[in-house]
Amino acid sequence: MKTNITVKPCSYSGKRVNLTPESDIPEEVKIAAAEAKQAERTRRNGRALAVWGTVLVGLPFVLPLVFFINGALTNHIPPIGLYPYLVMAFCVFSYVGGLILYIGSRNANYLRKPIGWTALATVLLPIIAAILYQDYLLRFDATNMNRPASIVIFVALLLTLLCMLALCVFAVLLLKRVFPKQPKPEPEA
């Protein structure tokens, strides 16, 4: 059987037909997969930020303990009243840790407002105390507590320490949230 094929050369006008094959994956599935990948990346980032924030928020309380342990081992024990001053000297770690912890809480969508306001208070209260009382760490005297400004400064520094402790508590709560307990698999009988 012979077939005769006739080809006529002619000019084509109009749009070129798309010759690429259509994707077998529906658009909804692609969007859901991209959202799941983004959620996993956000969760991973939130975990890392929560861990680093917890470490940095805890450092102002741990580093003075290292000094005290070193002093006890070398028989040069510093006075215990020096501990709050050393904590306030290392409070920069708490500022950075509070910011990182706030970003981590935003990623985890948990305790955003308490961590944010506490971190802000941790930064602002020493600034207020420094404005009211120039060089407050160097010239603080317990016998001078009858001035109202000294009482305000003392309260501001005490609230700063309490805010730093609250950030430590919030950091532990955030860690419990971003690292949930894995259910134990039931043993098969």
Side-chain angles (χ1 to χ4, degrees), residues 64-166:
L65 288 178
V66 171
F67 287 135
F68 280 99
I69 291 171
N70 182 28
L73 294 176
T74 59
N75 291 329
H76 298 292
I77 301 173
I80 195 70
L82 190 63
Y83 185 76
Y85 292 116
L86 287 174
V87 170
M88 290 305 293
F90 292 120
C91 67
V92 173
F93 291 116
S94 184
Y95 302 160
V96 175
L99 178 66
I100 292 173
L101 203 62
Y102 175 69
I103 295 170
S105 69
R106 296 276 302 188
N107 282 346
N109 200 16
Y110 183 67
L111 290 175
R112 292 181 302 177
K113 287 183 181 180
I115 289 175
W117 286 111
T118 308
L120 184 65
T122 304
V123 173
L124 290 182
L125 285 171
I127 293 172
I128 292 169
I131 289 171
L132 290 176
Y133 195 73
Q134 310 297 322
D135 297 329
Y136 61 92
L137 285 177
L138 301 176
R139 294 191 282 150
F140 184 76
D141 186 14
T143 60
N144 199 14
M145 288 303 293
N146 56 1
R147 288 185 27 210
S150 296
I151 294 172
V152 170
I153 292 162
F154 182 72
V155 168
L157 294 178
L158 186 67
L159 286 176
T160 301
L161 287 174
L162 290 176
C163 285
M164 290 168 66
L165 281 173

